[in-house]
Amino acid sequence: MYVTCLDLEGVLVPEIWIAFAEASGIPELKKTTRDEPDYNKLMNYRLNILKEHGLGLKEIQDVIATIDPMEGAKEFLDELRATCQTIIISDTFSQFAAPLMKKLGMPTIFCNELVVSENGEITGFKMRCEKSKFTTVRALQSCGFETIASGDSYNDLGMINASKAGFLFKAPDNIKADNPDIPAYETYDELLAAIKKELV
């Protein structure tokens, strides 16, 4: 049995932090896992900037409410879910992901949790587990599943390389150049065809 594991941001929906950086006029928040491989370092950097500007969860959620899935993402996901079991494995947070999951037809997502104070300040974050994407893929494999994985960032490479088949999707040139052995696709049709080929 197969389970396909997909990244969320940059694959199915636009990058939340980039959208918030543009809406808030804080370009420093455009840094993502495409730029910084160390997720804890990246999140602490983001939280320090939010604190400095007096911004909290509500301001980010207001921007997320305006974000729609990437064109063709829901149709791709619907067809993929009709073909095989599919899980979204993301380093985002449940407080960010919930409204986006509604727009994607409520797929299964494994993500993390923000620590939020009563006044709405984001004071920390709780990772679901260490190296969450890689660890989740290994756990699925221990349950007897073969995994197929796709993502666009440094934090996706663990699950991609650990899977029976893995693909980069809409990845930046630096990640494609650093990983020439991983097939890279730019359209949902290409990615769907590559996944279906593995399922035969």
Side-chain angles (χ1 to χ4, degrees):
M1 290 183 67
Y2 283 88
V3 176
T4 297
C5 301
L6 297 175
D7 180 33
L8 177 64
E9 294 178 66
V11 173
L12 298 170
V13 303
E15 293 279 353
I16 291 168
W17 286 99
I18 290 178
F20 184 65
E22 290 171 352
S24 63
I26 305 171
E28 295 87 351
L29 288 173
K30 287 187 177 181
K31 187 182 283 192
T32 71
T33 51
R34 291 175 164 203
D35 311 300
E36 173 53 70
D38 185 329
Y39 192 74
N40 282 345
K41 182 178 175 182
L42 177 63
M43 273 308 299
N44 284 315
Y45 166 82
R46 289 166 168 168
L47 295 187
N48 286 335
I49 292 172
L50 292 178
K51 188 178 179 82
E52 185 184 318
H53 289 270
L55 297 169
L57 179 60
K58 182 186 183 303
E59 288 82 5
I60 300 175
Q61 287 179 326
D62 287 346
V63 172
I64 292 170
T66 70
I67 297 175
D68 287 321
M70 293 158 74
E71 187 175 344
K74 185 178 184 302
E75 294 77 9
F76 160 76
L77 197 55
D78 287 346
E79 187 165 348
L80 184 60
R81 291 167 73 193
T83 305
C84 70
Q85 297 293 317
T86 303
I87 299 172
I88 297 170
I89 306 177
S90 174
D91 279 339
T92 194
F93 305 94
S94 58
Q95 295 97 327
F96 291 180
L100 295 168
M101 292 306 99
K102 289 179 183 174
K103 293 180 180 182
L104 286 169
M106 295 306 291
T108 298
I109 183 169
F110 294 170
C111 60
N112 305 305
E113 196 81 19
L114 290 168
V115 180
V116 184
S117 68
E118 286 186 10
N119 68 0
E121 180 186 352
I122 301 171
T123 57
F125 55 99
K126 292 179 183 174
M127 301 299 283
R128 190 169 44 82
C129 56
E130 189 73 23
K131 295 181 181 175
S132 62
K133 298 185 182 191
F134 172 80
T135 303
T136 302
V137 158
R138 284 294 191 225
L140 289 166
Q141 291 165 353
S142 76
C143 297
F145 291 100
E146 294 274 20
T147 59
I148 299 169
S150 184
D152 70 324
S153 297
Y154 284 112
N155 63 338
D156 298 312
L157 295 175
M159 72 172 181
I160 288 172
N161 288 320
S163 292
K164 182 176 185 288
F167 311 106
L168 292 170
F169 185 69
K170 295 186 182 291
D173 290 341
N174 61 313
I175 292 178
K176 288 189 283 190
D178 288 346
N179 299 276
D181 53 321
I182 303 175
Y185 300 111
E186 297 298 323
T187 72
Y188 291 119
D189 287 345
E190 290 173 332
L191 182 58
L192 189 62
I195 293 171
K196 285 184 172 181
K197 188 176 178 184
E198 294 297 328
L199 298 174
V200 174

